DNA sequence: AACGTCGGTTCATTATGTGAACCAGATAGC
DNA sequence: GCTATCTGGTTCACATAATGAACCGACGTT
């Protein structure tokens, strides 16, 4: 581990709950020597990555980060931040993956990626996703702004026999999605297509959209579901990260629960 | 110079005009060995500060910056407090406005705003502002901590024919700025760019940064100067208030003097 | 095929990072 | 007016980790 890596890892200890950290405290957190930590902080300070609160001598993140982030945003817009993650997801699952973004009360498709090695595969060619009938849409309703539920209720068009068309049906779906952390849609929009999704978040901590995998229903075994879910988690984390956000702890906990739960089921079966 | 500092200084070479840089090119820019630069980039990459464009193998700023910048702004909300004021300033003056923040002995650009209605306008694409050659920098030297003067003297690089390069030149500029309450730089950093600035203060009563307007020199009439100065005063007051500070009485007095003085001059002319 | 790039790698040399011990200043208990 | 224990910051002998010339294979031109 290079000394630069060690120095930069100090930055990970800053958080919303602890935005300013004293030298001794940071030593303890990082498990490193005080002199070393001090020199690392000095290097970070000369680069503008941290600064000292002149009153308390505690360290906090510095102003250089603002410009660099601005430049990063200009260099790599959202679509570019999702694309590579998406193709990795499609590759790992062997199914079609796509990303949606929530803008106002509408969920737009941003980018889709088809896995090459299945001859029969889901094709995503809708540009606005119905909230009540797609895995991404349900994810948005479950983890997005509250008014989205009413918007979804306002247009409960039935696409297939499985489409939820009553407010109670929808509420039941949403609540189970809140429990598991995964959106789910079993042939509710198109017959033979079963989808799973996970929410992604932006810098403000609000839902920014969803990442989803659409599979052909006949192929959708418990094993595949398990694989897709675990891949969705890393994809959601990566896209969220690329967009400058963080996954809320509640979502991470729900994922952890449903993944270990599925594992347990899988083992007993 | 620590190796961490060297590694971090690589990041300063990224700019809006050159957001992606190849290894060899970055070596030349940084004036360092290729192997060294490569290792530095690797360290930065593991920390998420840079990433490689998979297509070109060129390096660009990484996603970790987004999160850290978000946290920085949550800790020290500067951009939110400056942005609306800045756009009002740019709008009122018709010129490019920007805000800088002082951290330690370095003046960082925080945010810039270009007025839409002039086709020729100044573009701010620097991340650390030279103390001796910019209106903001001189403002910092004049109203910031005393040691800043020595720091400025220590690096009196000449950018244009008008750049002050001796300690006495600098002292004269600083003293006139202390009299008027406005930083001023007439083509001292870039030819054809003339700037005016005003200091901004934080809750502790110390200088926190500067707000400035950069104009094209050929457009810079006494009338425009008068307008910019009076708009700068309200902008500096507003940003200072948003940052939880107050303008020291001495500065307010200097502003009052130079505004009425300019008015008087204008009237007699 | 010869040449110039490019991104990336190797290895002997040595500069640089390391941490126990130390210092000065605050704060607290008595 | 003590000692005790924090804090941020500094010193110095020592060993680890940074360094850069030379090298590699790949790609593109000439």
């Amino acid at each position: 581990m290079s000394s630069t890596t060690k120095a930069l890892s100090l930055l990970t200890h800053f958080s919303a709950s602890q935005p300013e950290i004293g030298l001794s405290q940071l030593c303890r957190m990082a498990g490193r020597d005080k002199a070393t930590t001090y020199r690392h902080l000095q290097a970070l300070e000369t680069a503008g990555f941290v600064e000292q609160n002149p009153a308390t001598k505690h360290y906090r993140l510095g102003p250089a980060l603002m410009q660099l982030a601005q430049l990063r945003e200009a260099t790599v817009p959202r679509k570019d931040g999702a694309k590579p993650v998406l193709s990795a997801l499609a590759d790992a699952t062997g199914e079609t993956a796509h990303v949606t973004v929530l803008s106002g009360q509408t969920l737009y498709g941003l980018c889709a990626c088809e896995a090459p090695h299945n001859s029969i595969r889901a094709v995503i060619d809708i540009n606005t996703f119905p909230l009540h009938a797609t895995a991404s849409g349900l994810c948005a309703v479950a983890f997005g702004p509250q008014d989205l539920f009413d918007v979804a209720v306002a247009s409960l068009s039935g696409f297939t026999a499985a489409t939820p068309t009553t407010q109670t049906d929808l509420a039941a779906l949403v609540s189970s999605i809140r429990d598991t952390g995964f959106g789910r849609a079993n042939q509710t929009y198109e017959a033979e297509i079963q989808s799973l999704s996970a929410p992604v978040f932006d810098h403000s901590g609000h839902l920014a959209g969803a990442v989803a995998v659409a599979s052909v229903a006949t192929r959708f075994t418990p094993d595949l579901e398990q694989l897709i879910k675990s891949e969705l988690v890393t994809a959601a984390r990566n896209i969220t990260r690329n967009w400058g956000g963080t996954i809320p702890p509640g979502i991470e906990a729900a994922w952890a629960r449903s993944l270990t739960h599925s594992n347990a089921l899988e083992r007993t079966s």
Side-chain angles (χ1 to χ4, degrees), chain A:
Chain A
M1 190 187 232
S2 73
S3 76
T4 302
T5 306
K6 289 182 227 163
L8 290 177
S9 75
L10 289 178
L11 295 174
T12 64
H13 295 99
F14 294 91
S15 66
S17 55
Q18 193 152 36
E20 302 201 350
I21 309 179
L23 172 59
S24 301
Q25 197 180 350
L26 192 51
C27 292
R28 285 190 294 271
M29 287 193 238
R32 242 179 286 284
D33 186 81
K34 191 166 45 159
T36 301
T37 305
Y38 179 67
R39 280 187 300 266
H40 286 168
L41 282 169
Q42 291 233 317
L44 292 172
E45 190 171 23
T46 65
F49 280 65
V50 301
E51 67 180 10
Q52 267 186 300
N53 183 331
T56 62
K57 296 271 190 181
H58 286 193
Y59 294 87
R60 63 186 178 207
L61 296 177
L65 295 164
M66 301 303 294
Q67 321 161 351
L68 291 170
Q70 199 162 310
L71 192 50
R72 156 77 186 182
E73 175 66 26
T75 310
V76 185
R78 287 208 158 179
K79 192 166 180 174
D80 294 349
K83 229 188 240 168
V85 179
L86 212 53
S87 75
L89 177 60
D91 201 50
T93 61
E95 303 289 344
T96 300
H98 65 273
V99 173
T100 54
V101 287
L102 182 69
S103 177
Q105 302 179 329
T106 314
L107 195 63
Y108 296 94
L110 175 69
C111 180
C113 189
E114 299 180 8
H117 44 87
N118 271 321
S119 53
I120 300 175
R121 59 195 182 220
V123 175
I124 312 293
D125 67 345
I126 40 178
N127 37 24
T128 83
F129 282 63
L131 293 174
H132 68 296
T134 60
S136 302
L138 290 165
C139 221
V141 174
F143 304 113
Q146 292 87 340
D147 57 1
L148 234 50
F149 185 81
D150 303 322
V151 177
V153 169
S155 62
L156 284 170
S157 16
F159 298 104
T160 70
T163 308
T165 50
T166 70
Q167 177 161 351
T168 39
D169 285 353
L170 186 64
L173 280 176
V174 165
S175 122
S176 93
I177 288 173
R178 288 213 178 100
D179 281 346
T180 61
F182 294 103
R184 189 195 193 92
N186 185 4
Q187 311 184 53
T188 54
Y189 182 60
E190 281 186 287
E192 303 307 320
I193 299 293
Q194 168 135 16
S195 296
L196 288 171
S197 68
V200 297
F201 298 85
D202 66 14
H203 61 87
S204 66
H206 297 121
L207 180 122
V211 54
V213 171
S215 170
V216 179
T218 53
R219 207 163 44 216
F220 196 77
T221 63
D223 274 3
L224 180 59
E225 173 169 352
Q226 179 65 12
L227 170 67
I228 290 176
K229 279 184 175 173
S230 83
E231 291 295 332
L232 269 178
V233 168
T234 66
R237 283 192 192 127
N238 285 337
I239 293 174
T240 295
R241 179 180 149 87
N242 284 343
W243 291 0
T246 43
I247 307 282
I251 306 284
E252 284 284 5
W255 285 341
R257 273 201 312 277
S258 36
L259 285 181
T260 56
H261 186 54
S262 310
N263 279 333
L265 281 180
E266 198 179 341
R267 256 181 250 115
T268 61
S269 69

